[in-house]
Amino acid sequence: MRNLSILSAFILCSLTACQNPGLLHPLLSTIERDSLKGNYLVAIKQLNEALEVARKDGESQLQAEILTRRAELYLSLAQDSSVPRSNQHLQAAYEDFDRILNLPGIQNSQVALQAQFAMSHIQGLRLEESDREETLNQLLISIPQGSDGLQVAVHQELGWIVLDRFIASEGTELNEQARANYLEEALNHFKKALWADPDDEVSLLGLGICFYDLKDYKSAKDALQRSLQLTNERSWSNPVGHLYMALSLDKTKDAHSQILAHLDSALAEDTDKRIQKLYRYLLETLPLYYTHEDLSFSLAIDGILSQTTDQKSYWDRAHRLFDSYIDSLPPVPQALESEGHQRIKILKRQAYLGRAISKRYLGLIEGAISDLLQLVDEKEFPDDLERVFPFDSNDSAKLFGRLSCLFELDEFSKLESFIFNDLPALEDREGDPKYAYHLEEIVGLALLEIWNRHSRSPDEIDNENELKPEQLLDRARESLEVFISKNTHSVRARKGLAKIYEGLDLLGKAIDEYGWLTKEYSDDVTSFLNLINLHSKPDLPPELKRKVWAFLKLYKGDVLVVSSYIENWRMKLKREQSLYCRGCGRKTRSNETSCLYCGRSTTIVEKD
């Protein structure tokens, strides 16, 4: 509804009567046509030409009308998301309205008052609330008797400014008396607006909200009912009115069906999902009003997940809500495609998506990844990935989640493109430092897999960055070494780094990594198998073969392939045992107990 009041103000600014139709009227149809087509810049150019003519003729009223229309076009450009430089267009509109105030003979006229009012809206769009409030209060003093429309608009806007201040103070250290003063001030502004126009639906809405917060629920329902009636007659939406009517009905214990009807309307009309109070209320009450089979259930879930608040309490509650839905999910047989099973599949997607988004806001990134990957077989998965982990180069946690999902899905071409084209350098990454380093693990493992694929099928891999295999491995090595420096006990990263060392022929380092893993995780069979592969290399230098054997001897498990290899090697060594002198190291015979040369005792030494 705040948008309705802003729009009405812009319309008000354009209602000045044309004093010189001979010049302006022929342009109007062309300008309106270009505006409707979105050709704002063409229309502005035409108005520039008309303005020059009006200046030469010295016609202030006509200049004011042209400047008003040009300002409106600048505002349209500022609100068009496809057009850059919105702040510059807002400033251009503000300057045009300011020019109107400085035209000869325009001061204190209706046109000047309307221009001041429009300037206050631009201050609001630029979040200059204190300047805006001052502008409106000065304007209120200047409004002459009989300007009821402008009085309504100014009181209405001042009422919303103060009411917004009251709402924003909830949960702060501001004392209750100060908050109550805000509420009374807003109430008085809305009453004055309604004294001038009893059928102003926006002021009635504000009045109803004030009464609700004052716990006068009967008066709230009366004001809100009238506001809803008027907006319905004018075919305007009023989702906030429906929400507060539902809240008031809830407080007075009215019929469940009445509350539900207003919640349905609020959800249907809040197309931008901006009314956070609606979704906070539904977080607490959704199971009371809706089942997953209701159309409004999906609208409610979508609205809950569309909020961008960082408040932990909101996402804690959302997490619990989606937890409860996941716990209640019945199994869906793959072979059955009945309507009931389809609804359960939809609920499953909504619940896992909701919990994933909740976890991401709560900083539980690994949990969010796990929940999101539950939906990997759904056709909507690319959209779900974008919702849970939207691309944001300034948020390391989101980047980590996004790249982790791509890694799990084997999307290595996308990963490679991102790593070399979009990934910020480590020192430039923002957000949680933990995930700034975790990104290095994904980068290293992804590049290792790209190298593996290139090695297996060099002709089938499109290496768009034209890097040689050893360059890929070297970049992967750097990333994993950086990550392990902060996360020494990452098994996945250490195994990847060992493989990279093998690929770079740094076998000593590879053996050290596998050896570390066998010591820390004695049941890690994969590392023992990798050591066996290295140990069986015929060209492995003797000193490295001895190092590998020292790790293999530590194996205590019962996996046949490992234990058999170790036992066979022990038998081989036993057959090659020899007696050596402890002193001079000379090889002795089997019947000699002491060295014939130095007299020291002999001992059995295994050959590695």
Side-chain angles (χ1 to χ4, degrees):
M1 286 300 294
R2 293 295 308 282
N3 289 338
L4 278 179
S5 64
I6 291 173
L7 181 60
S8 66
F10 294 156
I11 293 171
L12 183 64
C13 292
S14 66
L15 291 181
T16 53
C18 180
Q19 301 297 315
N20 190 339
L23 173 65
L24 190 58
H25 184 71
L27 284 172
L28 290 184
S29 59
T30 303
I31 291 169
E32 291 297 329
R33 185 173 64 250
D34 286 328
S35 300
L36 289 172
K37 288 181 178 179
N39 298 333
Y40 302 123
L41 296 177
V42 174
I44 288 171
K45 183 178 179 181
Q46 294 166 340
L47 286 170
N48 291 342
E49 295 170 358
L51 186 61
E52 286 302 313
V53 175
R55 280 174 179 161
K56 289 177 181 177
D57 293 345
E59 298 192 39
S60 296
Q61 184 67 31
L62 184 55
Q63 289 180 61
E65 292 161 2
I66 295 171
L67 286 167
T68 297
R69 286 189 173 268
R70 189 170 73 176
E72 289 173 345
L73 291 174
Y74 279 131
L75 288 171
S76 297
L77 281 169
Q79 293 177 333
D80 188 340
S81 59
S82 66
V83 179
R85 302 188 299 278
S86 62
N87 287 336
Q88 293 180 29
H89 293 130
L90 276 180
Q91 182 62 25
Y94 188 89
E95 290 172 358
D96 272 353
F97 287 124
D98 191 46
R99 289 186 183 101
I100 292 172
L101 299 180
N102 293 308
L103 289 170
I106 294 297
Q107 291 86 351
N108 299 321
S109 69
Q110 188 75 5
V111 175
L113 295 175
Q114 291 167 350
Q116 281 183 275
F117 187 57
M119 290 168 73
S120 77
H121 276 287
I122 295 172
Q123 289 169 333
L125 291 171
R126 295 195 300 202
L127 304 179
E128 300 166 353
E129 288 300 323
S130 59
D131 292 341
R132 180 186 178 206
E133 190 173 9
E134 182 181 349
T135 300
L136 288 168
N137 280 316
Q138 290 175 351
L139 184 57
L140 202 56
I141 298 170
S142 306
I143 297 175
Q145 292 294 323
S147 301
D148 289 350
L150 197 52
Q151 276 193 341
V152 170
V154 173
H155 277 300
Q156 180 195 107
E157 286 302 296
L158 284 168
W160 281 108
I161 289 171
V162 181
L163 183 56
D164 283 346
R165 196 172 293 153
F166 166 80
I167 294 170
S169 68
E170 185 176 0
T172 67
E173 296 180 358
L174 193 67
N175 63 58
E176 286 303 311
Q177 185 56 52
R179 296 190 75 235
N181 291 342
Y182 285 153
L183 209 52
E184 287 297 334
E185 185 181 351
L187 191 70
N188 287 334
H189 278 300
F190 291 130
K191 285 180 176 179
K192 288 176 181 176
L194 289 166
W195 180 80
D197 181 4
D199 288 337
D200 178 50
E201 70 290 334
V202 179
S203 296
L204 282 164
L205 172 63
L207 189 72
I209 294 173
C210 288
F211 281 135
Y212 174 84
D213 284 313
L214 287 168
K215 297 182 172 53
D216 184 353
Y217 302 120
K218 183 182 182 304
S219 297
K221 288 192 291 185
D222 291 342
L224 292 166
Q225 185 61 46
R226 182 61 179 151
S227 176
L228 289 167
Q229 179 186 347
L230 289 166
T231 50
N232 183 57
E233 289 172 0
R234 296 162 185 172
S235 300
W236 290 352
S237 65
N238 191 349
V240 177
H242 283 294
L243 166 63
Y244 274 90
M245 179 60 84
L247 294 175
S248 300
L249 291 168
D250 188 10
K251 293 293 186 182
T252 53
K253 309 299 181 186
D254 282 82
H256 182 89
S257 59
Q258 290 181 275
I259 301 172
L260 188 60
H262 284 289
L263 286 177
D264 284 343
S265 296
L267 286 167
E269 293 181 12
D270 183 29
T271 54
D272 294 331
K273 309 290 184 276
R274 291 182 178 178
I275 308 173
Q276 191 178 115
K277 191 176 184 71
L278 170 61
Y279 304 107
R280 284 188 177 278
Y281 177 70
L282 288 171
L283 272 178
E284 302 294 334
T285 61
L286 189 61
L288 297 176
Y289 293 114
Y290 299 112
T291 71
H292 70 275
E293 297 180 353
D294 297 321
L295 175 61
S296 292
F297 179 86
S298 292
L299 292 175
I301 294 295
D302 191 38
I304 287 169
L305 297 179
S306 296
Q307 303 310 300
T308 55
T309 177
D310 289 326
Q311 289 184 351
K312 187 174 182 292
S313 59
Y314 181 92
W315 294 110
D316 266 336
R317 185 67 191 88
H319 187 287
R320 292 196 300 273
L321 175 69
F322 294 116
D323 253 349
S324 67
Y325 283 122
I326 289 172
D327 291 342
S328 65
L329 280 172
V332 183
Q334 294 296 320
L336 297 178
E337 293 295 334
S338 68
E339 184 178 344
H341 288 113
Q342 285 299 317
R343 285 198 292 267
I344 293 171
K345 286 178 69 174
I346 292 171
L347 176 61
K348 173 190 173 183
R349 174 176 172 263
Q350 291 171 327
Y352 275 105
L353 176 63
R355 195 167 71 175
I357 291 175
S358 302
K359 286 180 177 178
R360 192 253 294 168
Y361 273 104
L362 292 170
L364 307 172
I365 303 302
E366 289 81 358
I369 295 167
S370 176
D371 279 344
L372 182 58
L373 291 175
Q374 294 289 326
L375 308 176
V376 70
D377 294 328
E378 304 292 334
K379 64 181 180 180
E380 300 92 350
F381 183 80
D383 294 333
D384 293 342
L385 173 61
E386 199 61 39
R387 288 194 72 176
V388 180
F389 296 117
F391 174 74
D392 184 352
S393 60
N394 294 323
D395 191 322
S396 295
K398 288 179 186 175
L399 287 178
F400 173 73
R402 189 180 185 88
L403 266 62
S404 295
C405 288
L406 293 175
F407 181 80
E408 295 296 333
L409 297 175
D410 293 347
E411 296 279 3
F412 292 106
S413 60
K414 291 181 181 178
L415 279 168
E416 182 180 4
S417 175
F418 182 86
I419 289 167
F420 287 104
N421 299 319
D422 300 308
L423 183 67
L426 179 61
E427 61 272 14
D428 297 329
R429 291 174 201 163
E430 299 180 17
D432 191 335
K434 168 187 171 183
Y435 292 108
Y437 280 94
H438 274 58
L439 276 167
E440 290 302 303
E441 180 189 29
I442 300 299
V443 169
L445 295 174
L447 293 177
L448 172 60
E449 182 58 30
I450 292 167
W451 174 80
N452 281 331
R453 294 180 175 217
H454 182 78
S455 301
R456 291 194 298 267
S457 306
D459 296 332
E460 297 178 12
I461 303 297
D462 179 20
N463 185 352
E464 63 180 48
N465 297 289
E466 299 181 355
L467 293 177
K468 295 179 180 179
E470 59 271 18
Q471 290 176 303
L472 282 174
L473 275 187
D474 210 47
R475 174 73 169 84
R477 176 189 61 77
E478 290 174 3
S479 292
L480 288 183
E481 285 179 344
V482 166
F483 173 71
I484 290 171
S485 71
K486 300 288 184 179
N487 301 270
T488 56
H489 284 78
S490 173
V491 174
R492 184 171 72 163
R494 282 192 174 272
K495 285 183 178 179
L497 185 58
K499 282 292 182 187
I500 291 169
Y501 286 146
E502 282 192 66
L504 293 171
D505 208 29
L506 301 172
L507 299 184
K509 289 190 172 185
I511 293 166
D512 288 338
E513 288 299 323
Y514 289 133
W516 184 92
L517 288 163
T518 58
K519 284 183 176 180
E520 294 291 321
Y521 306 96
S522 58
D523 57 347
D524 179 18
V525 177
T526 306
S527 294
F528 280 104
L529 290 172
N530 287 325
L531 284 172
I532 288 173
N533 289 335
L534 286 171
H535 189 260
S536 60
K537 285 179 176 289
D539 56 345
L540 188 69
E543 66 276 11
L544 294 183
K545 191 177 281 286
R546 285 193 293 271
K547 181 186 282 191
V548 175
W549 178 240
F551 291 126
L552 288 175
K553 288 191 295 183
L554 300 175
Y555 184 67
K556 305 296 183 184
D558 56 3
V559 176
L560 188 60
V561 66
V562 179
S563 57
S564 295
Y565 182 89
I566 294 172
E567 185 58 30
N568 289 337
W569 190 257
R570 284 187 192 279
M571 295 298 294
K572 181 177 182 295
L573 291 177
K574 192 172 184 180
R575 289 193 298 269
E576 297 177 357
Q577 285 177 351
S578 297
L579 288 169
Y580 289 88
C581 172
R582 287 181 182 271
C584 65
R586 186 184 68 84
K587 187 174 180 180
T588 62
R589 297 175 182 174
S590 59
N591 59 349
E592 294 178 4
T593 58
S594 60
C595 179
L596 298 177
Y597 289 88
C598 69
R600 299 287 296 275
S601 61
T602 59
T603 187
I604 295 176
V605 178
E606 289 183 353
K607 281 187 64 179
D608 294 320

